[in-house]
Amino acid sequence: MDAPLTVFRFANFELDRQRAELRGPDGAPIKLRRKSFDMLTLFAANAGRVLSKQELTEAVWPKVHVGEDSLFQCIREVRNALGDDRHAMIKVVPGRGYRFDVEVAAEVERAAAKPSAQPAPEPTPEPPPSAEPSPSWFRFSRPAALAALAIACVVGLAMGAPIVAPDFFQPAPPRLSVTPIEVSGGDEQMAAIAANVTERLTDGLATIDNLRVIAASPRAASAKTPDFILKSGLERNRDTWVLRTRLIVTSTGEVRPIPTVSVGIDGIDPLLQRTRLAAGLGHQVAKEINSLLNPSDRTAAPAESADSAGKAAVEQAIASINRTTRERFGEAQTILEKALAERPANTDVAVALAALKLRGIQLVWYGREQRFAAEDSARSLLESALRARPNSLPVLDAYCRLLVATNQFVDGLVACARTLSFDPWDGTALYHIGLAQLQLGRFDDALESFEQADRYDTPAVSRWTWLLGAGIACLMLDRPQEAVSWLNRSLAITVGSGRTHMVLAAAYQQIGRTTDAKAAMAKGLALRPGTTVLNVTLPFKNTSPVYRAATDRALRFMVAAGLPER
C-alpha cells in the first residue's frame, strides 16, 4: 500500500507533498529549493510547536553537520516565499528556537492507485458505417486536416505558454559553472574543507535571482556551454586559509580575477572558518557577475564610462563615506556633483553622491532644512538609478540604506531583502535589515541579523557596524554584559565612533562599572561635542513603542554616565 501524502493549507497557501509544491493564494506555484521546502513542511506539520535549531537542522540535513548559516538561509527563503516580512508566521522564540504561528489544516491523500491486473473488458464493437453522407465540414482531406491540427497546436502553444511556462518567452538566465575548489599536496583535511566550501558556495549562488548555477561534472561536458566558469584553489599560509579564484567569461575567453579571500584559523571555530570562506568568495563573485550583467553606463563608450576622472570621484567619495571629517565632507560633495554634471548617465557617480549625502544625514552634518533637501536629492538620484539599473547591487544597496536611514522601515526591509537576492552574503544589507528590525521593536530578529552578518564577515569595511548593532540589540534586550563584548569588538575596529562609546557607557553603567561608564561617555562626547539627550538618538518617526521604551531606559543609563540632558 502506498504511504499517505498530505496537503497542508494555511493563510491561503497550499503545501502539496505529493507534487513537492508550494502554491500561493492565486494557485500559482512558488519556487522553493528542496531544503527550504522540507523545512516549511516540517513547520506546517508542527504548527504551534517550538522547534529548536538543532531539531530543524537534524530533520532537514540528516547525518550532515551544517552551520547555522544554512539554517538561517532556508528560514529566510521560506519567509520570502510566504511574504512573511514581519515574521508573523515564523516567529523567533528567544533561547528556544522557532514557532510556525499559523493555523494549519492538513488533508491526507494517497498516491494514485496502480492499475489492477484484472483482464480488460471486451472492446465494444464499432457500429457499421452509416449510409448517410457526413456533414460537409467533416469531409477534410488528410493534408488539410493535418495542416489545421498544426495551426491549432501553434495557436494553443502561443496562448498557453505564458500560463504553463511563464519563462517560455523570457531569455534564459546566464549559467554559472562552479568547479570543485582545488587543493594541492593531497591533504585530506584540506580536500574535505574545499569540498564543504564548494557545496556552501554553490548553494548560496543558486539562490541569486536571474542566475542559473550548475555544478561542474563529467556528464555536463556535452551540455550547453555555461556563460561563466568559476575556478578556485585553496591554500594554507601558516595561520590563514587563502582562496584564489578566477571567473572565466566563456563568450570572450576573458579571465577576470576575483579578490583573494583570507580567513584566519587561530581561535576561530572550524565551521565558522568554512562559512567565512564561502561567504567571502560568494560575496566577491556575486558582485563581479552583477557588475558584468548591469554595467554602469549602457549608453557611453567603454572608455567614457570607465574614465579616470569618474573613478577618482567615486573613490574619493568612498573614502569620505568610510572615514571622513566635516571639513572634507563638503569638498567630496562638490567633486561628486561636478562629476555627475559631466557624466549624468553614470549611475556609479550618482550612487556615490547619494551615499555621501546619506552619510551627512546620519552624522547630522546638515541643518534641518538642508537635511530635508539632501534627503530628497538622494532619493531622486537613487530612484533614477533604479530605473536605469533595477538589478544593480550598488544601486539596490544604496536604496536599502536610504529607506532605513529615513525611517521607512517596512519598505526598507523589502529593498534590503532584494539586495540579498543578488548577494546573499552582503553584511551591509543584513546590518540595515537589523537596524530596521531594531526600530520596529523586533530585538531578537535584529540580533539574529547582526549575528548572521558577523558569521559572514563581508564586506570587512562594514564589520564594525553590525558589531555595534549587535551591542545595541543586546542592550535593548536587557543583556548589558553581552552588549559590552560586542561593543568593544566594534571599537577595536573603529575607535572613532562617538555613538559606540556612548552605547558602551550605558551598558557599563547598567552592570555597575560606573568608572568605565564615565570614561566611555567622556570619549564619546569628545568625538561628538554638543551631544545631549535631545539629539543623541535617531529620529523616532515610524518606530515601535517597544523600541522607544527601551531607548528611554538606555538614555537614563547614559545620563547617569555623564550625558548632558540639554
Side-chain angles (χ1 to χ4, degrees):
M1 176 179 281
D2 293 324
L5 300 167
T6 307
V7 175
F8 296 106
R9 294 184 173 86
F10 54 88
N12 295 322
F13 290 91
E14 285 189 350
L15 188 69
D16 190 330
R17 293 184 61 193
Q18 181 173 358
R19 294 176 176 269
E21 184 176 82
L22 172 66
R23 294 186 288 271
D26 58 355
I30 298 173
K31 183 180 177 182
L32 272 180
R33 291 184 303 128
R34 168 71 180 274
K35 295 298 184 185
S36 300
F37 182 87
D38 292 346
M39 182 169 289
L40 179 54
T41 302
L42 187 63
F43 275 131
N46 294 273
R49 186 168 77 84
V50 177
L51 298 174
S52 68
K53 292 179 182 179
Q54 182 178 355
E55 190 173 356
L56 288 166
T57 302
E58 290 177 351
V60 177
W61 292 273
K63 300 180 181 179
V64 179
H65 190 51
V66 299
E68 287 190 345
D69 56 306
S70 297
L71 172 68
F72 294 146
Q73 186 173 311
C74 274
I75 289 174
R76 185 179 297 111
E77 185 175 338
V78 171
R79 281 173 168 159
N80 287 341
L82 300 178
D84 189 24
D85 296 330
R86 297 176 179 272
H87 297 196
M89 294 185 178
I90 301 176
K91 292 185 175 179
V92 177
V93 182
R96 296 180 60 196
Y98 296 86
R99 183 178 67 247
F100 195 51
D101 200 14
V102 181
E103 193 171 320
V104 177
E107 178 180 320
V108 178
E109 296 181 349
R110 294 190 178 274
K114 296 179 181 178
S116 65
Q118 295 179 358
E122 290 292 328
T124 304
E126 294 185 10
S130 171
E132 295 186 17
S134 302
S136 59
W137 52 265
F138 194 72
R139 292 199 303 267
F140 280 116
S141 65
R142 181 181 295 271
L146 291 174
L149 179 61
I151 292 171
C153 289
V154 170
V155 172
L157 178 62
M159 295 178 65
I163 300 171
V164 178
D167 295 331
F168 185 80
F169 293 110
Q170 299 290 332
R175 295 158 56 95
L176 170 66
S177 173
V178 180
T179 61
I181 295 173
E182 298 176 352
V183 297
S184 57
D187 187 311
E188 291 186 4
Q189 180 192 13
M190 284 184 64
I193 292 171
N196 184 270
V197 173
T198 300
E199 182 180 358
R200 290 168 181 257
L201 177 67
T202 304
D203 284 348
L205 291 169
T207 67
I208 293 177
D209 282 1
N210 302 327
L211 182 67
R212 183 179 175 188
V213 176
I214 54 176
S217 66
R219 191 183 302 178
S222 60
K224 182 180 176 182
T225 303
D227 300 277
F228 307 104
I229 300 174
L230 193 68
K231 295 188 175 182
S232 306
L234 179 66
E235 306 168 6
R236 177 169 179 168
N237 293 344
R238 294 185 181 179
D239 58 352
T240 305
W241 293 116
V242 178
L243 268 174
R244 304 187 192 279
T245 306
R246 60 192 188 277
L247 181 71
I248 302 169
V249 183
T250 55
S251 61
T252 62
E254 179 187 8
V255 178
R256 301 179 69 94
I258 301 297
T260 300
V261 175
S262 301
V263 173
I265 297 173
D266 291 347
I268 300 179
D269 179 80
L271 283 177
L272 185 58
Q273 294 172 24
R274 301 175 192 187
T275 295
R276 288 186 172 174
L277 282 168
L281 179 53
H283 175 62
Q284 298 293 350
V285 172
K287 289 199 305 178
E288 184 66 23
I289 290 178
N290 189 268
S291 69
L292 288 169
L293 300 178
N294 300 277
S296 171
D297 186 351
R298 298 176 184 274
T299 61
E304 180 185 346
S305 63
D307 64 279
S308 58
K311 278 189 174 181
V314 172
E315 286 170 4
Q316 185 163 355
I318 291 172
S320 297
I321 292 166
N322 293 335
R323 189 172 299 175
T324 189
T325 64
R326 187 188 290 266
E327 291 72 26
R328 291 177 58 196
F329 177 78
E331 179 184 347
Q333 181 169 319
T334 301
I335 290 173
L336 284 172
E337 287 174 342
K338 180 181 177 183
L340 187 61
E342 294 171 355
R343 305 164 188 80
N346 191 314
T347 51
D348 286 343
V349 176
V351 168
L353 178 57
L356 186 72
K357 292 188 174 188
L358 278 176
R359 186 67 169 172
I361 292 169
Q362 291 170 326
L363 292 175
V364 200
W365 282 351
Y366 291 112
R368 179 179 173 81
E369 296 304 321
Q370 287 180 313
R371 172 195 167 93
F372 293 135
E375 188 178 309
D376 290 342
S377 174
R379 180 179 290 103
S380 176
L381 286 168
L382 291 176
E383 288 177 349
S384 176
L386 271 174
R387 287 192 291 273
R389 300 167 66 196
N391 296 334
S392 166
L393 272 172
V395 180
L396 289 168
D397 184 64
Y399 193 58
C400 150
R401 285 185 281 133
L402 169 75
L403 293 173
V404 175
T406 55
N407 287 46
Q408 300 175 67
F409 302 122
V410 175
D411 290 341
L413 288 173
V414 174
C416 296
R418 180 154 175 77
T419 302
L420 292 176
S421 73
F422 291 98
D423 178 4
W425 301 280
D426 188 336
T428 304
L430 283 166
Y431 164 70
H432 285 93
I433 286 175
L435 205 57
Q437 291 167 331
L438 265 182
Q439 294 172 91
L440 291 171
R442 290 159 42 184
F443 303 144
D444 285 297
D445 291 341
L447 182 58
E448 181 183 306
S449 296
F450 296 135
E451 288 175 335
Q452 180 75 309
D454 183 47
R455 276 187 288 274
Y456 289 160
D457 202 38
T458 56
V461 72
S462 300
R463 183 182 298 150
W464 71 276
T465 61
W466 56 72
L467 299 176
L468 168 60
I472 295 174
C474 287
L475 191 64
M476 297 295 187
L477 288 165
D478 202 21
R479 289 149 58 176
Q481 195 67 56
E482 292 177 53
V484 167
S485 176
W486 286 104
L487 295 167
N488 276 321
R489 284 181 60 195
S490 180
L491 287 170
I493 298 167
T494 302
V495 73
S497 170
R499 188 183 301 276
T500 311
H501 285 289
M502 293 177 184
V503 177
L504 179 60
Y508 277 145
Q509 187 70 33
Q510 186 172 355
I511 60 179
R513 294 171 58 177
T514 55
T515 301
D516 291 331
K518 291 184 183 299
M521 181 57 69
K523 288 180 182 178
L525 290 172
L527 290 165
R528 296 187 63 173
T531 302
T532 69
V533 169
L534 300 177
N535 59 24
V536 69
T537 62
L538 298 171
F540 283 137
K541 176 185 175 184
N542 296 333
T543 57
S544 160
V546 175
Y547 170 77
R548 293 196 289 273
T551 301
D552 287 342
R553 185 177 68 247
L555 282 173
R556 289 195 296 273
F557 290 118
M558 288 185 186
V559 169
L563 177 67
E565 297 199 48
R566 293 184 179 277

